[in-house]
Amino acid sequence: MPPAIDEDGVKVDSFAIEETACDVIAIGNQKGGVSKTTTTVHLAAALGEIGRRVLIVDMDSSTGATSALGVGEIFEGTCEVMLGAVPLTEVILRGHEQDEMTLPRGVDLVCGRRNLEHLEGDIREKNKFADPANTLGRELQKIADQYDYVLLDTAPNTNLPTRACYEVARWFLIASMPQQLAVEGIQAAISDLASVREHRNPSIELLGVVMNCVDGRRTRASIQQIEHVQAGLPEDAGLFSVIERTTKVSQAQQLGRTILETDPEHKVTGQFRRLAAEVEDRIQRRAPRLGVV
């Protein structure tokens, strides 16, 4: 794949983690409220359930993934790492080591905090030449051999943390819903992805789209929206199996848990497990690697 070139024709370094058993997946959508965070934490839990080592990095100032896992804003996290103030290894919450919390099996966490809102201003004040994507990429490289997957939970916009996610990720997974605004967010994300591939990270690829909160009755409107999305996606990066709507998911998150832990036999629990299997299968078919069997 050719190197990324900026607008002045200068080669741009890519910070994506390559040649490793670790797959870095950014999860997002330009539209908020599409169960992006729900997708992140449940995919992580489902992968952890089958023995994978997963690190969630909360890159959203709304701290959705951090809150969904029952963790408060009491730990240093992604903002401090991207400012270069703290090594990533010092802010990873390792579930098996935390007495005050219970993370899903096989899942560790780097917390998000509200201070991510001020990252751009903090960088200008402390070091205007700092490159947070470079910093994040270097830090992730240091822990790549400890995990099978790193999941980056992004904000629903292209702020500085989100742009850094695009630059360090190998894969981009879009979370959406069968609603018009959410579908428009898919197209915006795909457009951004193409720009990133051209100018900053030629290695990043669209992994696919997850449709959340689908009506189990499969209404005509939802079916049409899903078919419309599928028609606009490449064959090897199309829709994954849908995730149906259930209040059990939000009830679990209010407890700082996932539905895999609170309702292991629920239909939607099975759908998240199938999503994890499909993600692994798609990655292995498109970019076979060692470390996952």
Side-chain angles (χ1 to χ4, degrees), residues 253-290:
Q253 290 181 326
Q254 289 173 8
L255 300 173
R257 298 287 187 270
T258 67
I259 193 174
L260 283 84
E261 300 161 276
T262 58
D263 289 274
E265 304 303 320
H266 196 279
K267 179 181 180 181
V268 171
T269 300
Q271 293 170 355
F272 280 116
R273 289 175 177 145
R274 185 164 60 250
L275 171 63
E278 291 177 350
V279 165
E280 286 216 311
D281 178 70
R282 191 170 293 184
I283 288 176
Q284 281 291 87
R285 284 189 288 106
R286 292 174 59 184
R289 61 180 170 85
L290 300 176

Side-chain angles (χ1 to χ4, degrees), residues 63-167:
T63 72
T66 302
S67 300
L69 292 172
V71 182
E73 289 191 54
I74 57 176
F75 300 99
E76 292 181 314
T78 47
C79 184
E80 289 77 14
V81 171
M82 295 178 73
L83 284 170
V86 182
L88 182 67
T89 52
E90 293 186 11
V91 297
I92 295 175
L93 300 183
R94 305 183 190 275
H96 62 284
E97 297 176 356
Q98 304 299 319
D99 295 331
E100 68 272 26
M101 69 187 72
T102 303
L103 297 176
R105 171 187 167 190
V107 178
D108 295 341
L109 172 68
V110 176
C111 295
R113 300 172 66 194
R114 299 285 177 182
N115 57 1
L116 274 170
E117 294 178 351
H118 311 296
L119 179 62
E120 295 195 52
D122 289 343
I123 287 177
R124 284 195 300 269
E125 179 181 331
K126 297 178 181 179
N127 182 358
K128 63 182 179 180
F129 297 108
D131 189 330
N134 193 354
T135 302
L136 180 63
R138 287 199 311 267
E139 291 299 312
L140 288 176
Q141 189 72 55
K142 294 175 184 177
I143 55 88
D145 62 346
Q146 300 176 32
Y147 296 97
D148 299 304
Y149 298 95
V150 173
L151 305 185
L152 307 174
D153 187 39
T154 71
N157 53 54
T158 51
N159 61 13
L160 183 57
T162 299
R163 296 197 301 272
C165 289
Y166 274 106
E167 293 185 37

